[in-house]
Amino acid sequence: MPVEAVARAVGTPVYIYSAGAVLARLRELEGAFAGRDPLVCYALKANPNRAVCGLLARAGAGAEVVSGGELRRALAAGFSPRKIVFSGVGKTEEEIRFGLRSRLLAQNVESEEELNRTIAVARRLRLRAPISIRLNPGVEAGGHRHLATGHGAAKFGVAPADALRLCLRARREPSLELKGLHCHIGSQILDPRPFVAALGVVERLLGRLRAAGVRLSLVDVGGGLGVRYEDESRGPAAQTLGPARARLQPAALAKALAPFLSRWPDLGLVLEPGRFLTAEAGLLATRILYRKRIGTSRFLIVDAAMNDLLRPALYSAYHPVVPARLRDVDEVVCDVVGPVCETGDVLARRRRLPWLPAGELLAVLKTGAYGFSMASQYNSRPRPAEVLVEGGRWRVVRERESYRDLVRHER
Ligand code: LLP
């Protein structure tokens, strides 16, 4: 599918996703854990577009949501409520109520006060709230300090000692149905070892619960499976379209978790990947507006900016950038920057790229996760369109915002 054809019809910047790539990742993950029949709950925050969610829902996946908005999107996209888990450190009473009324697989409770509120809401609604306790296992993991969620200083989950107490209390509470333990330790994890370490903490807790006569029905190991954004063997300046060789292989993760899983054969397994399913399935197409030099620096100024793709500015994240068509033009080392009025509005730093003129199209790769979902209207820039390629055809799955959309809610 020529990116140029989509860009000409829809304009730029535009996110383009491949349905086949998303589904292939789902199958790969399910396949790796096949013996265990895992429930893959797609973390909507990575890419909540309804068409993307619909694909995964139809393929049998569940969903992981962290807000009333995500829960509504998940239900609207067709995910079965019985396959939805609801996390979040700050669920409002309205969100707890909506979650309980929706009869989800489990609400992941992240503090004692949330447990109290959940009990109060469940009593008022006269129903039994299915819950898991989210454990903070005290494990460092993740690709960036903003992405680590499982260490003791992070706000997520409860400490192991508190988890034991909360589980025992939940067990005695008639308005609660204690389903299991949840832990999500971070994002962009490329090594199975932190998962194993976290499960070590989970396992100690499971043992103590069993000794107290409490048997759980599920363990949710969270998401965080990393993808390889750059080919590190060639250094960050190298461009590659080749396969990302060192993403966290599902088979390696499954193998690392196998000893734990074999010791707990009755536990249902939940995985919550977001990035793994959608990151590599998407690109951001953007047109060059200008070239310029300042001293020894060279810039390709493009029509996408940090409002469209925040990851490079927020996490110094690396995304490969390639010309949409091969060009016989001399390469230079340059920064790819957007029009937003911030020095940090750099999509790609110090890259070797053909010194292409205005009008040429670039593709910022591996932006199918946390791309559009973190986009904003900063600098009063309407958010870009989204396109889904499926079965050799493409269609717009979210229209480009208009200037009217910018002021729609203002009075
Ligand atoms: N489950 C929970 C409870 C989460 O908080 C998250 C992500 C996931 C699952 C999915 O994690 P994933 O498999 O996508 O790594 N904006 C950042 C990523 C933040 C992830 C937050 N939580 C980025 O652009 O890299």
Side-chain angles (χ1 to χ4, degrees), residues 43 45-46 64 66 87 134 147 182 184 186-188 222-225 272-276 311 315 370 374:
K45 61 179 82 64
E64 184 266 348
V66 292
S87 309
R134 178 168 179 177
L147 302 185
H182 170 252
H184 167 81
S187 200
Q188 185 52 15
L225 287 76
E272 299 176 350
R275 184 191 321 268
F276 182 80
R311 302 193 72 255
Y315 312 118
Y370 306 109
M374 294 174 79

Side-chain angles (χ1 to χ4, degrees), residues 177-199:
E177 181 190 358
L178 180 63
K179 293 275 191 115
L181 292 174
H182 170 252
C183 76
H184 167 81
I185 50 178
S187 200
Q188 185 52 15
I189 305 169
L190 292 166
D191 177 343
R193 280 173 297 189
F195 287 99
V196 175
L199 279 184

Side-chain angles (χ1 to χ4, degrees), residues 93-94 96-103 118-129 175:
E93 188 158 325
E94 188 278 326
I96 292 172
R97 200 180 314 122
F98 183 54
L100 296 187
R101 282 210 174 115
S102 303
R103 312 259 167 193
T118 305
I119 293 171
V121 174
R123 283 184 186 157
R124 245 177 281 137
L125 294 177
R126 296 178 192 287
L127 47 78
R128 268 188 103 196
S175 59

Side-chain angles (χ1 to χ4, degrees), residues 4 286-289 302 323-325 327 356-362:
E4 184 67 57
T286 179
R287 264 193 216 288
I288 298 172
L289 296 171
V302 298
R325 292 187 282 180
R327 281 279 189 268
L356 291 169
E360 292 286 335
L361 196 61
L362 297 179

